[in-house]
Amino acid sequence: MSHKIILDTDPGIDDAMAIFFAFQHPDIDVLGLTTVYGNVPVEMAAKNAITLCDLAGKNIPVCKGVGMPWVGPESSYAHFVHGDDGFGNINFPAAKGELDPRSSAQFIVDMARKYPGEITIVAIGPLGNLALALRLEPELPKLVKAVSIMGGAAFVRGNVTPVAEANIWNDAHAAEIVFGASWELNMFGLDVTNACPFSPEFLTQLKENNQKLGGFVHDAAQFYVKFYSQNRDEDVCFFHDAMPIAHLIDPSLFELQTGHGRVSTDPLNRGQTSIALPNTTASPDWLNAELVNVATKVDNERLTKLYLDTYKL
Ligand code: RIB
Ligand code: CA
């Protein structure tokens, strides 16, 4: 079964691995890349997205989106994780492609109107483009098939603060708007992405399976592995962003639980994603919140095989 998706992204090294994974799998039809700030400023995210499409030989729209959070000052970005260039400082030559003239939010709305009920928006960065798209088109939840995000931490600690994961923390007010919309929302947070570490041998295998795209990920991820391996006994990294795409291809890889989801926007708990599972509260504040399908378990072995097999195609 083929899935039409829009990938909303802040590339970013794990974004790059996810984008190439989506491009290569026959069940995924990527209609376009919509970029957002997060790992890097939005201008760099857009330029990097064009480079990834060029390297993969994909001629699809690339749009530039929001560069600031819904509320508050400019982000400090995550160059300490993804490098000054967003690709692990490998100084890969930037491609010369043109951006689509539409903003990311406008592209999302246009595609949803063109393919009503068919598109899954896969958001693997902060959620400002989706929040803005909801403001442009209040009927958007009726026009999209589903929203699947890499973001949040439901029952585990965060990676930016003790309670918040980076994509949600970066734009908590936008996330609150997205979690408050009446669409199917599937959340692949640190509950599953931090439970699936990848070794340097995995990177070597990706490169062997696909010199061009796997080789790019291998090279760019050397910086990323150094960041993730601090204070660990062995070298490791986490490919957070590919999981929502893997779920579309094979839902049996994951176990999801459904609960009422809330996003904190207060200064101390900014970006916390709290999920009230069934029969755990009588509070209307929670029972009136929209439902979220939260991934709580993943089959690491089968997921890893899917990634490696797809890069070999
Ligand atoms: O917390 C991990 C998420 O933040 C990933 O999407 C990574 O690319 C960064 O955007
Ligand atoms: Ca990302």
Side-chain angles (χ1 to χ4, degrees), residues 181-203:
S182 58
W183 41 27
E184 178 188 321
L185 179 60
N186 305 306
M187 179 180 126
F188 299 84
L190 300 178
D191 307 78
V192 285
T193 68
N194 272 352
C196 191
F198 291 93
S199 65
E201 291 70 32
F202 172 80
L203 294 173

Side-chain angles (χ1 to χ4, degrees), residues 10 14-15 39 82 124 150 159 165-167 240-241:
D10 59 336
D14 62 323
D15 299 70
N39 289 324
H82 295 267
I124 55 177
M150 189 281 133
N159 59 2
E165 176 278 330
N167 286 338
H240 307 275
D241 287 338

Side-chain angles (χ1 to χ4, degrees), residues 25-37:
H25 199 282
D27 292 355
I28 303 292
D29 176 11
V30 185
L31 299 181
L33 300 185
T34 51
T35 60
V36 62
Y37 80 93

Side-chain angles (χ1 to χ4, degrees), residues 27 74 84 140 143 145 178 194 210 231-232 244 261 306:
D27 292 355
E74 183 178 8
D84 294 341
L140 191 62
L143 294 173
K145 184 175 180 182
V178 171
N194 272 352
N210 187 318
N231 311 315
R232 286 178 184 265
L306 173 63

Side-chain angles (χ1 to χ4, degrees), residues 20-100:
F20 288 155
F21 172 57
F23 283 169
Q24 295 173 89
H25 199 282
D27 292 355
I28 303 292
D29 176 11
V30 185
L31 299 181
L33 300 185
T34 51
T35 60
V36 62
Y37 80 93
N39 289 324
V40 297
V42 68
E43 292 78 11
M44 184 178 285
K47 186 166 66 75
N48 286 353
I50 284 176
T51 297
L52 296 174
C53 287
D54 180 68
L55 185 60
K58 285 292 272 190
N59 182 20
I60 57 174
V62 175
C63 301
K64 183 160 80 86
V66 298
M68 288 285 287
W70 208 258
V71 172
E74 183 178 8
S75 166
S76 50
Y77 311 115
H79 292 294
F80 62 98
V81 182
H82 295 267
D84 294 341
D85 60 358
F87 288 151
N89 296 332
I90 59 172
N91 298 315
F92 195 83
K96 299 255 185 302
E98 293 295 314
L99 285 171
D100 185 289

Side-chain angles (χ1 to χ4, degrees), residues 1-3 5 17-30 58 213 245-246 248-250 253 305-313:
M1 172 190 184
S2 181
H3 298 270
I5 73 168
M17 185 271 188
I19 289 165
F20 288 155
F21 172 57
F23 283 169
Q24 295 173 89
H25 199 282
D27 292 355
I28 303 292
D29 176 11
V30 185
K58 285 292 272 190
L213 305 184
I245 300 160
L248 286 174
I249 294 163
D250 183 356
L253 291 168
K305 184 178 185 308
L306 173 63
Y307 292 157
L308 291 173
D309 290 350
T310 302
Y311 268 73
K312 204 186 294 182
L313 294 177

